[in-house]
Amino acid sequence: MDEIVNKVANSKLLVFDLEDYYPDDHVIAVDISQWLFGGFILKEAEFREQLKNTDWSLYEDKYVALFCSEDAILPAWAYTLVAVHLAPFALKVIHGDKKTAIIDWYQDILNKLDYTEYFEKPLILKGCSKKEVPNEVYTLAIQKLMKVSKSIMFGEACSAVPLFKKK
Protein backbone atom coordinates (compact mmCIF):
# COMPACT_ATOMS: atom_id res chain seq x y z
CA MET A 1 0.00 0.00 0.00
CA ASP A 2 1.30 3.46 -0.93
CA GLU A 3 1.95 6.00 1.75
CA ILE A 4 -0.59 8.84 1.93
CA VAL A 5 1.18 12.12 1.27
CA ASN A 6 -0.26 15.44 2.41
CA LYS A 7 0.53 17.55 -0.64
CA VAL A 8 -0.95 20.66 0.95
CA ALA A 9 1.35 20.47 3.97
CA ASN A 10 4.33 19.98 1.65
CA SER A 11 3.41 22.81 -0.70
CA LYS A 12 4.73 26.35 -0.58
CA LEU A 13 1.23 27.72 -0.07
CA LEU A 14 0.90 30.18 2.79
CA VAL A 15 -2.38 30.82 4.56
CA PHE A 16 -3.57 34.31 5.43
CA ASP A 17 -6.29 33.90 8.06
CA LEU A 18 -8.26 37.03 8.93
CA GLU A 19 -9.62 35.25 11.98
CA ASP A 20 -6.14 35.62 13.52
CA TYR A 21 -6.82 39.35 13.77
CA TYR A 22 -10.44 39.16 14.92
CA PRO A 23 -11.06 41.82 17.60
CA ASP A 24 -12.96 39.51 20.00
CA ASP A 25 -13.87 41.78 22.93
CA HIS A 26 -11.92 44.79 21.62
CA VAL A 27 -14.98 46.11 19.78
CA ILE A 28 -18.03 47.21 21.77
CA ALA A 29 -21.32 48.68 20.62
CA VAL A 30 -22.81 51.41 22.82
CA ASP A 31 -26.47 52.34 22.49
CA ILE A 32 -26.91 56.06 23.07
CA SER A 33 -30.61 55.54 23.90
CA GLN A 34 -29.62 54.45 27.40
CA TRP A 35 -29.01 58.13 28.21
CA LEU A 36 -32.23 59.43 26.63
CA PHE A 37 -35.40 60.20 28.55
CA GLY A 38 -37.78 57.32 27.88
CA GLY A 39 -35.15 55.92 25.55
CA PHE A 40 -35.85 58.40 22.76
CA ILE A 41 -36.03 62.01 24.02
CA LEU A 42 -32.88 64.01 24.57
CA LYS A 43 -33.13 66.41 27.50
CA GLU A 44 -29.83 68.21 27.35
CA ALA A 45 -29.25 68.82 31.08
CA GLU A 46 -30.14 65.24 32.03
CA PHE A 47 -28.18 63.84 29.10
CA ARG A 48 -25.05 65.75 30.11
CA GLU A 49 -25.45 64.71 33.75
CA GLN A 50 -25.80 61.03 32.85
CA LEU A 51 -22.74 61.15 30.62
CA LYS A 52 -20.80 62.86 33.40
CA ASN A 53 -21.76 60.03 35.80
CA THR A 54 -20.93 57.15 33.46
CA ASP A 55 -17.92 54.94 34.18
CA TRP A 56 -16.03 55.41 30.92
CA SER A 57 -13.12 53.24 32.04
CA LEU A 58 -15.17 50.22 30.87
CA TYR A 59 -14.22 51.27 27.33
CA GLU A 60 -10.47 51.40 27.94
CA ASP A 61 -8.53 50.24 24.85
CA LYS A 62 -11.69 49.40 22.88
CA TYR A 63 -13.09 50.33 19.50
CA VAL A 64 -16.51 51.74 20.38
CA ALA A 65 -19.41 51.79 17.95
CA LEU A 66 -21.96 54.46 18.87
CA PHE A 67 -25.52 53.88 17.69
CA CYS A 68 -29.11 54.53 18.74
CA SER A 69 -31.49 51.57 18.78
CA GLU A 70 -34.54 53.82 19.05
CA ASP A 71 -36.10 55.90 16.31
CA ALA A 72 -35.04 59.09 18.09
CA ILE A 73 -34.27 62.36 16.35
CA LEU A 74 -30.95 63.43 17.79
CA PRO A 75 -28.79 66.45 17.14
CA ALA A 76 -25.36 65.67 15.72
CA TRP A 77 -23.72 67.03 18.87
CA ALA A 78 -25.28 64.20 20.95
CA TYR A 79 -22.98 61.58 19.42
CA THR A 80 -20.11 64.04 19.48
CA LEU A 81 -20.57 64.70 23.19
CA VAL A 82 -20.53 60.96 23.93
CA ALA A 83 -17.34 60.71 21.85
CA VAL A 84 -15.79 63.50 23.95
CA HIS A 85 -16.32 61.36 27.06
CA LEU A 86 -15.08 58.17 25.38
CA ALA A 87 -11.99 59.64 23.71
CA PRO A 88 -9.68 59.55 26.75
CA PHE A 89 -10.36 55.80 27.15
CA ALA A 90 -11.30 54.24 23.82
CA LEU A 91 -8.80 53.43 21.08
CA LYS A 92 -11.33 54.67 18.55
CA VAL A 93 -14.94 55.85 18.50
CA ILE A 94 -17.04 55.11 15.42
CA HIS A 95 -20.54 56.41 14.67
CA GLY A 96 -22.25 53.24 13.48
CA ASP A 97 -22.96 49.64 14.38
CA LYS A 98 -20.60 46.98 15.68
CA LYS A 99 -19.99 45.55 12.21
CA THR A 100 -18.82 48.97 11.01
CA ALA A 101 -16.42 49.16 13.96
CA ILE A 102 -15.09 45.65 13.25
CA ILE A 103 -14.44 46.63 9.62
CA ASP A 104 -12.64 49.75 10.86
CA TRP A 105 -10.60 47.59 13.29
CA TYR A 106 -9.51 45.33 10.43
CA GLN A 107 -8.70 48.27 8.19
CA ASP A 108 -6.36 49.65 10.84
CA ILE A 109 -4.77 46.20 11.41
CA LEU A 110 -4.33 45.52 7.68
CA ASN A 111 -2.71 48.93 7.21
CA LYS A 112 -0.12 48.16 9.90
CA LEU A 113 0.76 44.56 8.98
CA ASP A 114 4.14 43.54 7.59
CA TYR A 115 3.44 41.55 4.42
CA THR A 116 7.06 40.63 3.61
CA GLU A 117 6.57 36.91 4.40
CA TYR A 118 4.00 36.77 1.57
CA PHE A 119 6.26 38.43 -1.01
CA GLU A 120 6.12 36.52 -4.33
CA LYS A 121 4.53 33.49 -2.63
CA PRO A 122 1.34 31.58 -3.46
CA LEU A 123 -1.28 32.35 -0.87
CA ILE A 124 -4.66 31.17 0.37
CA LEU A 125 -6.93 33.80 1.85
CA LYS A 126 -8.71 31.54 4.31
CA GLY A 127 -12.44 31.80 3.82
CA CYS A 128 -13.93 29.46 6.38
CA SER A 129 -13.84 30.83 9.88
CA LYS A 130 -15.47 30.21 13.23
CA LYS A 131 -15.80 33.93 13.86
CA GLU A 132 -17.92 36.30 11.81
CA VAL A 133 -15.39 38.15 9.71
CA PRO A 134 -17.39 40.65 7.61
CA ASN A 135 -17.22 40.13 3.84
CA GLU A 136 -16.00 43.71 3.46
CA VAL A 137 -12.80 42.73 5.28
CA TYR A 138 -11.92 40.16 2.61
CA THR A 139 -12.18 42.95 0.03
CA LEU A 140 -9.78 45.06 2.10
CA ALA A 141 -7.35 42.16 2.59
CA ILE A 142 -7.18 41.10 -1.07
CA GLN A 143 -6.13 44.60 -2.07
CA LYS A 144 -3.19 44.48 0.33
CA LEU A 145 -2.20 40.91 -0.54
CA MET A 146 -2.30 41.46 -4.33
CA LYS A 147 0.54 43.97 -3.99
CA VAL A 148 2.93 41.36 -2.62
CA SER A 149 1.90 37.79 -3.36
CA LYS A 150 2.49 35.67 -6.46
CA SER A 151 -1.02 34.23 -6.48
CA ILE A 152 -4.05 34.19 -4.22
CA MET A 153 -6.78 31.61 -3.77
CA PHE A 154 -9.79 31.86 -1.50
CA GLY A 155 -11.12 29.20 0.84
CA GLU A 156 -9.33 26.12 2.11
CA ALA A 157 -6.45 24.25 0.50
CA CYS A 158 -8.77 21.33 -0.33
CA SER A 159 -11.26 23.52 -2.22
CA ALA A 160 -9.67 26.87 -3.02
CA VAL A 161 -11.05 29.25 -5.63
CA PRO A 162 -8.38 31.09 -7.68
CA LEU A 163 -8.68 34.87 -7.32
CA PHE A 164 -5.44 36.42 -8.50
CA LYS A 165 -2.24 35.53 -10.32
CA LYS A 166 0.56 38.01 -10.92
CA LYS A 167 1.38 38.43 -14.60
Side-chain angles (χ1 to χ4, degrees), residues 108-122:
D108 288 349
I109 295 293
L110 291 169
N111 285 337
K112 293 175 187 170
L113 281 180
D114 178 7
Y115 295 93
T116 54
E117 78 173 284
Y118 304 110
F119 188 73
E120 294 297 320
K121 302 246 173 73

Side-chain angles (χ1 to χ4, degrees), residues 29-158:
V30 174
D31 187 354
I32 201 169
S33 71
Q34 68 182 303
W35 299 299
L36 303 177
F37 178 76
F40 63 95
I41 297 171
L42 189 146
K43 291 184 174 182
E44 185 178 349
E46 290 176 20
F47 183 70
R48 287 180 179 275
E49 188 63 28
Q50 287 184 42
L51 294 179
K52 191 173 104 180
N53 294 324
T54 297
D55 180 8
W56 298 104
S57 67
L58 301 170
Y59 307 103
E60 185 88 36
D61 297 329
K62 309 282 186 200
Y63 272 49
V64 180
L66 286 180
F67 73 102
C68 185
S69 63
E70 297 298 326
D71 195 19
I73 299 171
L74 299 173
W77 63 260
Y79 290 96
T80 309
L81 184 59
V82 176
V84 165
H85 287 277
L86 281 165
F89 301 94
L91 288 174
K92 198 169 204 179
V93 181
I94 293 105
H95 186 147
D97 60 11
K98 188 172 182 177
K99 179 182 174 186
T100 303
I102 289 172
I103 293 166
D104 201 79
W105 165 274
Y106 270 109
Q107 189 163 29
D108 288 349
I109 295 293
L110 291 169
N111 285 337
K112 293 175 187 170
L113 281 180
D114 178 7
Y115 295 93
T116 54
E117 78 173 284
Y118 304 110
F119 188 73
E120 294 297 320
K121 302 246 173 73
L123 181 65
I124 290 183
L125 177 55
K126 188 173 177 201
C128 302
S129 61
K130 295 174 184 84
K131 298 175 182 173
E132 289 189 42
V133 176
N135 287 337
E136 294 87 342
V137 174
Y138 290 97
T139 303
L140 295 171
I142 193 76
Q143 293 174 75
K144 297 289 186 185
L145 296 168
M146 285 174 59
K147 293 175 184 176
V148 295
S149 64
K150 179 179 178 180
S151 63
I152 305 170
M153 293 186 284
F154 180 85
E156 298 288 331
C158 62

